[in-house]
Amino acid sequence: MNGFLNILKPPGMTSAAVVAVVKRLTGEKRVGHAGTLDPEAAGVLPIMIGRAARLFDYLVDKEKAYVAEAAFGCATDTQDATGVVVEASDQYPAWETVCAAAKQLEGDILQRPSMFSAIKQDGVAMYERARRGETVEVPLRQVHVESITLHAETPNHGVLMTVRCGRGTYIRSICDDLGKLCGCPAHMRFLLRSQSGVFTLDTAMTLEEAAAHRDAGTLAAQLLPLDWPIQHIRRVDVPGFLRKQVVNGVALPIGKVRGDVPEGGVVRVYLNQEFWGMAARQGDRLVWKCQLPPETSAPSSCVKEAVHEDPA
C-alpha cells in the first residue's frame, strides 16, 4: 500500500499512537506522519504509507489552520490545560482588548514555546528534560502568523479563534502571549487542527472509519495517490521514446521533456500519464531526486524517508 491517509486524530492520543494503529490496519511497516499534533489536540494528521514517505520533503506544510480556545484567568507551565498553574488573575480583559492584542500577534513574530514543547536540544525533546526536573530555557524563535480571527467569547472567560500560520508555530504560545498582552494570564483550553497543507477536515477520516474500510477490504481504495498532495509543484511529461532512460533512472535531456523547467527547479515527472517521481534541472539535464515508479514497474530508490514534527 502506497499513498496518503488523512486521519482525524482524536484528543488524548499521540501522533505516534495513530501511526501504530495505521500500521496494524494496513499491514505496512513504512508508515509515518507529516506533522505532530499534541496528544490533547484533535484534527488533521496526514499519514504517509509505504513510498509516500519519500515525498515528505515536497509536501506543502507552510499552510496550517487551527481552531483554538484561549482561557483567561491563569497561565500554566505547559501553556495548556494539562499543566500546573503558575500565575492567576481575575482581571479579565474586555473583548476589544483581546481583539487588539490578537492583531499584535499577526505577521512575523517571536515566540517562546513552553518548556514542555517537542523542540529538541542536543537531540532530546524539551519536555523530556522538563519532566526530569531540569530547568529548561527555551530560546525565542521566529514564526509567521497569517491571521488570527476571533469568533466569540466562551464560558469561563474563554475566546474562540481561528489561527492561520506557518510551520513550527505553537498555538499554546499564542494563547499565552494573548494573556500577557491583555494583562491577564491565559492558556490554551482547546485545539483542533483544521488544515495542514492540502489536507483538510472535509477529507479526513477517523480511525474507526479506517478500521471499517479495512474490514470491508476497501482501505487501499481510500488512499490518496502519491502525487495528490504535491500538485503545487510544476509538472513535466516525458515522451515514450525515453522510457528506457526513465526506467533506469538516467538523467533526461531537458530539451526533450514537455514543460518549462527553470535552472535548479524541481518538477513532478510523468511518463504516459503515470507519475514516476521528482527531478531537478541541472544545466541541460533533468536529474532524478526521487524515483517512484508505478506499481507495475521495477522498484527504485529515493533520497530519504522522514517524519516531520510540527508542534501545535
Side-chain angles (χ1 to χ4, degrees), residues 230-259:
I230 56 172
Q231 297 297 307
H232 60 286
I233 298 177
R234 194 186 304 262
R235 166 179 174 158
V236 298
D237 289 271
V238 179
F241 66 83
L242 289 177
R243 178 178 177 81
K244 184 176 180 180
Q245 288 92 320
V246 171
V247 171
N248 292 325
V250 176
L252 307 171
I254 198 68
K256 300 298 183 180
V257 302
R258 295 186 292 273

Side-chain angles (χ1 to χ4, degrees), residues 20-158:
V21 172
V22 175
K23 282 184 178 181
R24 292 196 298 270
L25 292 177
T26 61
E28 174 63 57
K29 295 181 179 180
R30 298 170 299 171
V31 178
H33 57 76
T36 302
L37 263 179
D38 287 343
E40 71 277 7
V44 171
L45 183 66
I47 299 294
M48 307 174 291
I49 300 173
R51 294 184 298 161
R54 300 176 179 180
L55 293 168
F56 167 76
D57 286 337
Y58 305 101
L59 300 179
V60 171
D61 64 349
K62 295 180 180 179
E63 300 174 3
K64 310 280 186 182
Y66 298 88
V67 177
E69 182 184 16
F72 291 93
C74 67
T76 70
D77 56 358
T78 60
Q79 298 179 339
D80 61 25
T82 67
V84 176
V85 175
V86 294
E87 184 181 1
S89 172
D90 59 1
Q91 301 300 308
Y92 305 112
W95 175 259
E96 294 75 14
T97 302
V98 180
C99 290
K103 285 298 180 183
Q104 295 182 55
L105 294 174
E106 294 180 337
D108 293 327
I109 65 170
L110 292 175
Q111 69 171 200
R112 192 187 303 278
S114 163
M115 62 182 178
F116 287 88
S117 68
I119 297 172
K120 291 186 177 181
Q121 186 179 75
D122 298 327
V124 181
M126 290 289 190
Y127 66 80
E128 292 183 10
R129 294 179 180 273
R131 288 170 182 168
R132 292 200 296 257
E134 298 180 24
T135 300
V136 181
E137 178 65 26
V138 185
L140 286 169
R141 44 196 266 159
Q142 181 173 298
V143 296
H144 181 75
V145 178
E146 185 65 28
S147 65
I148 300 177
T149 304
L150 300 182
H151 300 299
E153 294 181 283
T154 58
N156 298 320
H157 313 291

Side-chain angles (χ1 to χ4, degrees), residues 234 254 260-267 280-282:
R234 194 186 304 262
I254 198 68
D260 180 45
V261 187
E263 178 63 33
V266 176
V267 293
R281 180 174 181 175
Q282 295 182 11

